[in-house]
Amino acid sequence: MSDDIFSRLFELFDQPGPINWKLAAEVARSIVGDRVPVEPWEAEEYRELTRLVEYRMEQVSPFRVTPATDVTPVDPREWVESHLEGYGRVVEPFGDSVTGQGPAAPLMAQLRPAMIGLQAGSLVGSLATWSIATFDAGIPPDRPGSLSIIAPNADALAKEVDVDDREIRLWVIANEVGFRTVADIPWIQDHLAMLVERYAEAVKIDPTQLSGLMMGGSDPQAIEAAIEEAGGIEKLVGGEEAEGPRRELEAFLGALTGCARLLARRTTADMSPNFDYISDERDRIREFEMGATPGLIGVGAVPPEATRLGDDFNQEVERRYGDDALVTLWSDPTRMPSAAELRDPTAWAARVLLDGWTS
């Protein structure tokens, strides 16, 4: 038996590349569990709503709206399998955070792909248990593919919110199309990668705390228990210098998801009288769901507060500088608000006005 366990562990952890995708997939699948059925009629309704929203958003958006190649309602497990590697870009930089000194250095180098595989699997698996689509997590994958809605999670929202089910689905599609539209701006992925790399460079993982975590294998409950035994994630990830880069990354994603919400609201203005009510209720539910989800190292879902701040910020930019202001704001990453400026548009305006902003 011990030989079998050793062989399995060796096979699981001995994978090529900077990310152990086999371990990531096992972790993610164990988090979401078995497949659940999705009603066949949902595909046609979501597809119909998507084409309607894409057409209407094209009329009111300052950005190009690229039609989705396909629209697919899926269960959490299918979403994991189609999106897992799309989040590699936001977890891979943290491999260099796993460091060791002296004799421990070779071991830490061997553990890096497994640690990042654990992070990728934990991130995507956890997102799939509660998020409705990529807009809900607020992290744009680098391989957007078809527009996928996690149907059971959308149905759960419809049961929680006292609004007609079709309006809930319209709200979901409008937010996802808006999110994909903003995330499709050419410089977004490179800027996101730069912010993630800055954050990863500031993160230091204490190698003395890793043994219990690695013994958890791919069992999420064992991983969570090992984290708790180590004193929580803050004991695994050291260094106050990481807090600043984390806040800047969060502010950027808040601005992005906030702009997506603005576009969604504008697109459905005469179709969704309960848009803001649904948004508020979803934010309330997300705050609970995110708080109940254990994290590992690196990037996590965007807090609802950041999205609300981003929504307010984008609206304020338009109010002050006119209908074309969003085009100018999103034309250059240097115009993005800092974490402090997201809460203080006046401070942001003082900086960008000096930088040559034209109304």
Side-chain angles (χ1 to χ4, degrees):
M1 178 66 72
S2 61
D3 289 342
D4 291 340
I5 292 174
F6 180 82
S7 298
R8 172 148 175 74
L9 286 173
F10 180 81
E11 179 185 357
L12 191 61
F13 287 103
D14 186 35
Q15 298 292 317
I19 302 176
N20 188 326
W21 287 116
K22 183 172 183 178
L23 179 60
E26 291 217 14
V27 170
R29 289 171 188 149
S30 65
I31 290 173
V32 298
D34 296 330
R35 291 189 180 278
V36 298
V38 175
E39 294 290 345
W41 58 264
E42 292 191 61
E44 188 56 38
E45 181 173 9
Y46 277 120
R47 189 172 292 113
E48 172 191 322
L49 288 172
T50 299
R51 299 316 176 198
L52 173 63
V53 167
E54 288 173 341
Y55 172 78
R56 290 173 64 99
M57 191 170 291
E58 186 70 45
Q59 314 308 309
V60 300
S61 170
F63 315 116
R64 179 172 177 268
V65 178
T66 302
T69 56
D70 196 9
V71 183
T72 54
V74 298
D75 71 337
R77 190 176 181 101
E78 187 175 355
W79 192 85
V80 158
E81 291 172 351
S82 62
H83 284 73
L84 181 60
E85 294 194 20
Y87 287 98
R89 194 171 183 179
V90 299
V91 295
E92 184 176 344
F94 292 89
D96 290 337
S97 302
V98 183
T99 60
Q101 302 295 325
L107 175 60
M108 291 302 103
Q110 290 180 333
L111 288 178
R112 285 174 191 168
M115 284 295 300
I116 304 310
L118 283 170
Q119 166 64 0
S122 177
L123 170 66
V124 179
S126 296
L127 292 179
T129 63
W130 60 264
S131 65
I132 297 173
T134 57
F135 81 89
D136 218 16
I139 310 168
D142 61 1
R143 305 175 189 180
S146 65
L147 191 154
S148 297
I149 304 297
I150 306 180
N153 297 347
D155 295 342
L157 176 63
K159 293 176 182 177
E160 289 279 343
V161 181
D162 187 20
V163 173
D164 180 76
D165 289 2
R166 186 172 174 84
E167 187 175 352
I168 293 290
R169 295 188 181 105
L170 174 64
W171 180 90
V172 167
I173 290 296
N175 277 281
E176 182 67 359
V177 172
F179 184 70
R180 289 165 65 96
T181 295
V182 184
D184 197 40
I185 294 172
W187 55 264
I188 293 292
Q189 286 291 346
D190 287 342
H191 189 62
L192 173 61
M194 182 270 291
L195 291 172
V196 170
E197 287 169 3
R198 284 183 180 175
Y199 179 27
E201 286 172 1
V203 168
K204 300 301 177 188
I205 301 170
D206 182 357
T208 65
Q209 303 287 350
L210 292 177
S211 59
L213 180 59
M214 299 310 297
M215 290 300 292
S218 61
D219 180 359
Q221 292 183 341
I223 293 170
E224 183 178 357
I227 291 174
E228 292 178 356
E229 185 177 345
I233 191 64
E234 65 276 5
K235 294 295 185 181
L236 288 173
V237 182
E240 294 181 0
E241 62 272 20
E243 185 61 18
R246 183 196 64 77
R247 287 198 300 267
E248 297 306 320
L249 171 61
E250 188 177 282
F252 171 65
L253 294 176
L256 193 156
T257 53
C259 188
R261 180 173 289 185
L262 180 154
L263 295 180
R265 181 188 296 108
R266 181 181 298 168
T267 298
T268 60
D270 60 345
M271 300 169 62
S272 180
N274 297 292
F275 184 92
D276 286 330
Y277 167 68
I278 299 170
S279 300
D280 290 343
E281 286 298 290
R282 184 55 186 156
D283 287 348
R284 177 185 61 81
I285 295 167
R286 283 187 65 227
E287 285 171 350
F288 170 79
E289 289 169 329
M290 289 175 61
T293 303
L296 282 179
I297 303 153
V299 181
V302 179
E305 181 187 17
T307 297
R308 291 192 293 269
L309 288 169
D311 185 8
D312 292 343
F313 179 87
N314 280 276
Q315 290 187 67
E316 182 68 6
V317 168
E318 272 201 325
R319 187 188 69 79
R320 291 189 181 195
Y321 301 108
D323 294 340
D324 295 332
L326 285 184
V327 175
T328 307
L329 168 64
W330 289 92
S331 65
D332 187 328
T334 64
R335 301 193 190 279
M336 286 292 95
S338 67
E341 291 168 347
L342 195 68
R343 296 176 178 273
D344 186 359
T346 302
W348 167 83
R351 176 174 64 84
V352 297
L353 281 168
L354 291 174
D355 194 35
W357 177 281
T358 56
S359 60

